[in-house]
Amino acid sequence: GLEVGKDIAVVGYDNREISDYMRPRLTTYDLNLSNLAQKAAEMMVDILTDYEKQKEYDNFYIAKIPGELVVRESI
């Protein structure tokens, strides 16, 4: 008897095109994949070419990639 968007909220991640066609339309977080790919490529070049930067990635590294919350009907 619960209804999405009224009784419970549902949020997706990656803002796939299908999110806009679901009923209720799915609220989702839109992560720009080209920004993600660019950061991954930069990290790969660092690891392969720069010993000092390579050490930054040895343990654990968090890359912050900007995104945007796309609010639809599921919240």
Side-chain angles (χ1 to χ4, degrees):
L2 298 177
E3 191 173 335
V4 173
K6 291 185 180 173
D7 302 312
I8 60 172
V10 177
V11 178
Y13 188 80
D14 74 6
N15 197 26
R16 299 280 173 130
E17 186 175 328
I18 195 168
S19 301
D20 206 26
Y21 296 106
M22 301 172 96
R23 293 294 172 245
R25 296 180 324 137
L26 182 64
T27 295
T28 185
Y29 189 77
D30 186 8
L31 181 62
N32 186 318
L33 293 180
S34 59
N35 287 348
L36 181 63
Q38 179 178 350
K39 183 62 178 175
E42 289 170 4
M43 290 171 68
M44 186 76 121
V45 169
D46 287 347
I47 289 169
L48 295 173
T49 62
D50 187 334
Y51 181 73
E52 289 303 313
K53 285 200 174 185
Q54 190 180 76
K55 290 191 291 186
E56 290 178 30
Y57 304 119
D58 279 350
N59 294 320
F60 186 73
Y61 183 80
I62 296 174
K64 295 181 180 180
I65 308 295
E68 175 185 0
L69 182 64
V70 180
V71 178
R72 295 190 179 103
E73 300 158 350
S74 68
I75 60 166

